[in-house]
Amino acid sequence: MDIDAVKDALAAQAIEVPSWAYGNSGTRFKVFGSPGTPRDPFEKIADAAQVNLFTGAAPRVSLHIPWDRVDDLAALAQYARDLGVEIGTINSNVFQDDDYRLGSLTNADAAIRAKAVAHHLECLDVMRETGSRDLKIWLPDGTNYPGQDSIRARQDRLADGLAEIYAALRPDERLLLEYKFFEPYFYTTDVPDWGTSLVHCLELGDQAMVVLDTGHHAPGTNIEFIVAQLLRLDRLGAFDFNSRFYADDDLIVGAADPFQLFRIMHEIVQAGALDPAVGVNFMLDQCHNIEDKIPGQIRSIMNVQEATAKALLVDADALADAQVAGDVLGANAILMDAYATDVRPLVAQVREEKGLDPDPMRAYAASGYAERIAAERVGGQQASWGA
Ligand code: AFD
Ligand code: MN
């Protein structure tokens, strides 16, 4: 790809940020607060808009319901547009209501299953009031002990509940089903892997897609293989980008394993899936437990941009020739040559050509926004993940 095409692709890249990244978060041991943390969805969107202001690559904010429910959702969406961003994916939440202790869509109690379906239909209403097109479903459902419930019956209940939700989709809407290999339950998870998500999506229809959260795999999993497979099947709806050292750590994407992020973006670029028309949503799903939230999000965007730039620099023709020729070392060297390239000057140049500061971290720090919100946002209840 010639360098102008690389720069055009980088200039057009859009990464969706999660509203919950701007609220307080932590672990089951402690949720740390910090000065200036938003107290409501409007302030979360104001902070997310800063990330887009300085990176030029974060034009959408994903909401989480009920955390981000407000009386006037249309006003929230307009507020976002006034700040230069839009509402993105709507995330359901069936992991914080006591009724879901033994499952939501998979619960043995039909009344609780109906309640979980109703919550997702409410999320569809939120999508329509905010101009969103994607409903993201992550089910915490699972069991802790062998014999606790029927593994098969839970799959059947899951299929029925998803079918009810899917039937309510409008033609331009999508149901994105996210998998996670464990947590909050530890014996079985009802959507534990990409295969289970894919099976249910195939059964539902063309508007059902898989969400690949990079922190949701067993250690050592080859994630880029899953990316390639789902792209071949046109069923990769979205990434939830983050980093992990041990489990679903929700750390800054690229911070733990930038080489893995590059290999993931290489599969995306090779499949032409960087093109927004392909429909893959590049979203962050992170929590900034100990670092400042807005800079943490800016760094995350920069890490994805740099991995993407490296992937765009892979000499695809030479790589294909080497692969066909069975030139193992030559093919590997072509990939590693791109990965070894310091793309920071290139990405900085793209920012400058967009009229942005080449160093968004420095520009944000110098803007005084952090000091302003710390001074203004006094009182009220800081947003958290409601655990
Ligand atoms: C939790 C889940 C999952 C989900 C996110 C937003 O593990 O990653 O996407 O919450 O609901 O992190
Ligand atoms: Mn996720």
Side-chain angles (χ1 to χ4, degrees), residues 204-253:
L204 290 168
D206 294 342
Q207 294 169 250
M209 313 288 274
V210 178
V211 176
L212 188 160
D213 184 305
T214 51
H216 286 190
H217 305 82
T221 299
N222 184 326
I223 293 177
E224 60 269 29
F225 178 89
I226 301 169
V227 172
Q229 196 67 280
L230 291 174
L231 287 172
R232 284 181 71 249
L233 297 164
D234 196 19
R235 291 288 177 154
L236 180 59
F239 285 98
D240 269 4
F241 278 135
N242 49 61
S243 251
R244 46 153 305 154
F245 288 101
Y246 288 98
D248 186 22
D249 308 339
D250 278 350
L251 299 175
I252 288 174
V253 58

Side-chain angles (χ1 to χ4, degrees), residues 149-213:
D149 197 353
S150 161
I151 294 173
R152 287 182 54 198
R154 290 176 76 92
Q155 289 301 305
D156 293 341
R157 297 172 201 151
L158 173 60
D160 293 345
L162 290 173
E164 263 192 85
I165 298 161
Y166 186 88
L169 290 181
R170 291 177 178 168
D172 62 337
E173 296 171 339
R174 304 191 307 172
L175 183 157
L176 308 183
L177 183 59
E178 181 177 3
Y179 62 89
K180 181 173 179 179
F181 84 124
F182 89 106
E183 191 186 43
Y185 301 94
F186 303 102
Y187 171 58
T188 61
T189 297
D190 293 299
V191 188
D193 52 38
W194 68 275
T196 303
S197 175
L198 179 60
V199 161
H200 284 287
C201 288
L202 291 172
E203 191 175 332
L204 290 168
D206 294 342
Q207 294 169 250
M209 313 288 274
V210 178
V211 176
L212 188 160
D213 184 305

Side-chain angles (χ1 to χ4, degrees), residues 74-115:
L76 185 67
Q78 185 55 51
Y79 177 77
R81 285 191 291 272
D82 292 346
L83 291 177
V85 295
E86 293 187 338
I87 302 302
T89 305
I90 302 301
N91 294 259
S92 65
N93 181 333
V94 287
F95 52 89
Q96 290 181 314
D97 184 315
D98 286 344
D99 283 346
Y100 299 133
R101 183 166 54 90
L102 300 181
S104 59
L105 294 179
T106 65
N107 198 296
D109 181 337
I112 291 174
R113 297 199 299 272
K115 177 178 178 174

Side-chain angles (χ1 to χ4, degrees), residues 80 98 115 119 127 149 183 275 289 301-302:
D98 286 344
K115 177 178 178 174
H119 169 66
M127 283 165 59
D149 197 353
E183 191 186 43
D275 179 351
N289 298 351
I301 298 289
M302 293 172 72

